[in-house]
Amino acid sequence: MPKAGIIYNNVKPIASRIAMELQDQFTCAGWDVITTTSMGGILGYSSPESPVCHTPIDGLTPPGFDSEMRFAVVLGGDGTVLAASRQVAPTGIPLLTVNTGHMGFLTETYVSQLPRAIEQVMAGDFDLEEQAMLTVKVFRGQSVLWEALCLNEMVLHREPLTSMCHFEIAVGQHAPVDIAADGIIVSTPTGSTAYSLSAGGPVITPGVPVLQLVPICPHSLASRALVFPDTETVNIYPVNIPRLVMVVDGNGGCYIFPEDRVYLERSRYSVRFIRLQPPEFFRILREKLGWGLPHIAKPTSVELP
């Protein structure tokens, strides 16, 4: 019996309703179906009084989501996709992402197109696109205080955000650099169209094997976005007193103290997205962000005097 999964945002009534309808549809078609909410992939926050909030990366996978599952349907917005990616990336389960939110930059299809999309996926008529993820860990000495998979970006800043921070950052075996800024962002190509883009970083097409480091409002004309191979690791040593705040994918993180070290590397896991048509990144940029659209009327013909 083939097996499919459903991951849905139970905060949204429409996602919950469609999840139940899909479960009935799969069951009637002779499929074994397992449902879960995306809450299991939401990252927790530690507190200054209790800085250790350590859930191992492999510990987020829901029961029943294993290598025998042919695919999973994700119902929600971009936040739900980010959470679901952390839940299933260690298993390699392909994800069909369905937008029930607003922007839906990471989603493949819409609720109105879901019946046809499900038929296509059940028939195996789709492509797969793999997107890189980051492993983010916080060390104090040799102990791991916190870790997570990251699809978009890691952000490190002070409370409040408009306060100057100082960082010592070592990329690979290169000499450490000092950066003074409101914060820093380390992002994947997927995350290059998220916070990193708003902070002035470049857009990077999926599949390019790089990471990028973007200072937020740097206090120097010389501090600009840096793009480097994703084979390089990143170590960040904060020097602020008393602490900084780290946020991963916009929904969880922990406090970072001067004695801590933030370590990032490309994860051995990647997320596999189902594509119902050949991936066309520029089309997505145009539809979601308006990239490449003309801002002035262009003449269709030229009249000669």
Side-chain angles (χ1 to χ4, degrees):
M1 177 182 296
K3 183 165 69 170
I6 300 173
I7 303 174
Y8 66 99
N9 184 344
N10 60 317
V11 176
K12 297 182 177 180
I14 184 173
S16 299
R17 175 177 59 81
I18 295 173
M20 299 304 103
E21 294 174 356
L22 271 182
Q23 184 177 19
D24 292 340
Q25 180 180 345
F26 281 126
T27 302
C28 292
W31 285 59
D32 181 19
V33 58
I34 298 176
T35 64
T36 189
T37 71
S38 60
M39 293 300 294
I42 300 297
L43 299 172
Y45 287 91
S46 60
S47 67
E49 296 76 22
S50 179
V52 178
C53 182
H54 182 200
T55 300
I57 287 173
D58 294 341
L60 297 180
T61 303
F65 282 70
D66 52 34
S67 58
E68 296 181 359
M69 185 171 285
R70 294 191 180 180
F71 63 88
V73 181
V74 180
L75 300 166
D78 287 340
T80 306
V81 175
L82 293 170
S85 298
R86 284 187 289 273
Q87 289 174 286
V88 305
T91 67
I93 298 171
L95 297 178
L96 173 64
T97 54
V98 183
N99 185 21
T100 65
H102 299 287
M103 169 73 75
F105 193 89
L106 296 175
T107 56
E108 176 67 10
T109 190
Y110 297 91
V111 172
S112 60
Q113 303 167 349
L114 186 55
R116 171 59 186 150
I118 293 297
E119 291 180 4
Q120 187 174 340
V121 174
M122 291 176 71
D125 180 20
F126 58 84
D127 296 322
L128 285 177
E129 181 182 54
E130 292 200 14
Q131 296 192 12
M133 304 185 79
L134 283 171
T135 293
V136 182
K137 293 185 178 182
V138 178
F139 285 91
R140 182 169 298 168
Q142 298 301 314
S143 300
V144 177
L145 301 185
W146 194 92
E147 69 174 343
L149 281 177
C150 169
L151 179 57
N152 268 356
E153 75 278 301
M154 183 283 306
V155 183
L156 192 58
H157 62 84
R158 283 184 69 178
E159 290 181 308
L161 181 59
T162 53
S163 298
M164 183 66 66
C165 306
H166 294 272
F167 309 94
E168 183 178 283
I169 303 174
V171 176
Q173 299 301 314
H174 302 285
V177 296
D178 294 310
I179 292 180
D182 281 3
I184 55 170
I185 303 169
V186 179
S187 85
T188 66
T190 304
S192 71
T193 54
Y195 193 1
S196 174
L197 178 64
S198 300
V203 174
I204 301 174
T205 57
V208 179
V210 296
L211 302 174
Q212 64 172 318
L213 186 151
V214 181
I216 303 172
C217 300
H219 193 59
S220 170
L221 292 174
S223 295
R224 290 296 177 260
L226 173 69
V227 177
F228 53 93
D230 65 6
T231 54
E232 304 274 22
T233 60
V234 181
N235 283 283
I236 303 173
Y237 304 88
V239 296
N240 288 75
I241 298 174
R243 63 178 184 258
L244 298 176
V245 177
M246 184 182 73
V247 180
V248 172
D249 281 346
N251 74 4
C254 64
Y255 285 99
I256 306 296
F257 291 84
E259 62 267 30
D260 297 336
R261 171 173 62 96
V262 179
Y263 173 82
L264 303 98
E265 66 177 353
R266 175 171 176 167
S267 175
R268 60 192 177 100
Y269 302 129
S270 59
V271 60
R272 306 171 74 201
F273 287 122
I274 289 175
R275 301 305 183 202
L276 302 175
Q277 53 186 337
E280 219 305 293
F281 184 64
F282 287 0
R283 174 184 59 82
I284 297 173
L285 283 182
R286 184 171 61 252
E287 292 178 356
K288 303 291 186 178
L289 299 180
W291 184 83
L293 293 178
H295 294 282
I296 60 174
K298 295 182 178 179
T300 56
S301 62
V302 178
E303 294 185 3
L304 298 177

